[in-house]
Amino acid sequence: MKVGVVGLGKMGEAVAYRFLLAGHAVTGFDKNEQACQSAEKNGVHIVKDLKELAAANRIIWLMIPAGEIVDFVIKELVPHLKEGDIIVDGGNSHFPDTQRRAEMLQAYGILFVDCGTSGGLFGRAQGFSLMVGGDRGAYTKIHPLLTALAAPGGVAHVGPSGAGHYVKMVHNGIEYGVMQAYAEGFSLIKNGSFKEEVLDLQEISRVWQHGSIIRSYLLDLAHEVFRKDQELHRISGEVAEGGTGLWTVEDAQEHDVAMPVIASTLNTREWSRETGGNYMTKIIAMLRKEFGGHLVEKVQKKEKIEKKDAQ
């Protein structure tokens, strides 16, 4: 199949790579020249603008940040697409925006599919978990592309337009809670009753990986964090967020669904950004870096900025 990919950053490059690996022809566009050069080396045909991308493909895959940029790209694509063409949003868009975009594109006869994509940096090699919403016929048509991206068994049509992004939103909310639970537990082991004994978090996380009830992929990543550095002195405890956790809690409040665990993680992250956080939030920041390549603030860098501001 032929597919155009808009956005060739960490996730977009991985998507394009897996399409190519499965034998699909990939056209790519990104305003970042370095990203284009990297993708081109893998076999992606780079075009100069969205018009050229749309002219060459009947399926367009968006791997760009949520928000206004998605509307901008769609607006640029529409005049050059035909009835029956398919746009897939593989990012973390808010599901009401997805429903609005699908309705708007329906007037042009263009199908809009939302594909919640989980797997982070390791999805490039291992495959992704794909939660797909939208027209069932469009899902069937793009299924060869979905199976190229997905880990074995890692793709499902979960419902109508917006459902894919909705399920991914809740997935991310759960992720917030699980990460915080691990971070709180390891923080207690380090700073609680046995803190004078300096218990080995690398060894503890290793043994939990084998047969324990709480073993998981996030525990594997925690073990990797502690293997590299258990003290985490050189990083700030500030934890960013992408919006999906907040959207999850807001939807829960709207429907009177109790969500104390995930709601508390939002308060913790906000507190971390106001205060610089603590050892527990440093673990969360490092877990986000391990699975998604999210930036971690360095303490030395922050101190230099504060010193410069003081002058």
Side-chain angles (χ1 to χ4, degrees):
M1 297 182 75
K2 295 175 63 178
V3 57
V5 177
V6 180
L8 297 169
K10 291 189 293 285
M11 291 293 286
E13 186 277 336
V15 165
Y17 169 78
R18 290 192 65 83
F19 285 154
L20 290 166
L21 203 63
H24 301 291
V26 183
T27 305
F29 173 79
D30 196 297
K31 288 188 175 182
N32 185 298
E33 187 175 341
Q34 187 175 353
C36 289
Q37 290 174 353
S38 177
E40 192 170 30
K41 289 178 182 178
N42 291 331
V44 176
H45 174 63
I46 301 298
V47 294
K48 66 180 185 297
D49 55 35
L50 293 171
K51 178 181 178 180
E52 188 176 352
L53 186 90
N57 300 278
R58 305 278 60 85
I59 301 171
I60 310 295
W61 202 286
L62 309 183
M63 290 304 294
I64 54 181
E68 293 181 358
I69 188 172
V70 178
D71 291 306
F72 174 81
V73 169
I74 291 173
K75 184 179 178 181
E76 292 291 304
L77 288 169
V78 165
H80 312 294
L81 295 176
K82 301 174 183 177
E83 187 173 344
D85 287 353
I86 300 172
I87 298 176
V88 183
D89 182 358
N92 280 332
S93 291
H94 199 190
F95 73 93
D97 292 332
T98 298
Q99 293 172 317
R100 169 179 57 80
R101 289 161 185 154
E103 185 177 355
M104 181 272 291
L105 287 168
Q106 189 175 24
Y108 296 92
I110 298 168
L111 298 168
F112 191 63
V113 174
D114 49 299
C115 181
T117 307
S118 179
L121 300 178
F122 296 93
R124 187 182 194 273
Q126 300 174 3
F128 296 95
S129 176
L130 305 177
M131 301 140 263
V132 186
D135 181 82
R136 171 71 75 167
Y139 171 80
T140 301
K141 187 172 182 179
I142 67 171
H143 200 262
L145 294 172
L146 295 169
T147 55
L149 291 185
V155 59
H157 184 267
V158 298
S161 180
H165 283 152
Y166 182 76
V167 172
K168 177 56 164 43
M169 176 191 80
V170 177
H171 162 286
N172 285 14
I174 294 170
E175 173 192 295
Y176 277 40
V178 174
M179 279 198 295
Q180 181 155 322
Y182 278 128
E184 289 177 3
F186 283 118
S187 181
L188 181 61
I189 291 172
K190 183 172 178 61
N191 299 300
S193 294
F194 280 82
K195 64 182 179 182
E196 301 302 326
E197 303 296 328
V198 192
L199 302 185
D200 188 342
L201 298 184
Q202 178 185 349
E203 183 66 0
I204 292 165
S205 57
R206 183 199 64 77
V207 77
W208 282 356
Q209 289 175 297
H210 301 280
S212 83
I213 295 299
I214 61 168
R215 64 190 184 275
S216 73
Y217 178 57
L218 284 171
L219 178 60
D220 294 343
L221 296 181
H223 175 71
E224 186 63 17
V225 168
F226 299 133
R227 184 188 66 80
K228 296 173 183 176
D229 177 16
Q230 295 191 32
E231 298 305 320
L232 306 178
H233 288 317
R234 291 177 292 179
I235 68 165
S236 166
E238 297 177 41
V239 184
E241 55 189 276
T244 48
L246 176 60
W247 299 339
T248 302
V249 172
E250 288 176 342
D251 192 71
Q253 291 172 341
E254 182 179 344
H255 297 283
D256 198 26
V257 175
M259 196 162 281
V261 172
I262 299 174
S264 74
T265 69
L266 297 179
N267 295 333
T268 297
R269 292 188 181 201
E270 183 178 1
W271 169 83
S272 78
R273 294 190 295 273
E274 292 172 351
T275 64
N278 57 14
Y279 186 77
M280 183 264 288
T281 60
K282 288 184 179 188
I283 296 174
I284 296 173
M286 288 303 298
L287 286 174
R288 295 181 79 247
K289 180 177 184 293
E290 285 292 322
F291 71 72
H294 300 289
L295 294 176
V296 174
E297 187 78 23
K298 299 290 180 65
V299 170
Q300 289 181 339
K301 180 180 177 182
K302 188 180 178 186
E303 287 174 349
K304 286 179 182 178
I305 292 172
E306 290 175 347
K307 186 175 181 181
K308 184 177 179 181
D309 289 343
Q311 292 173 347

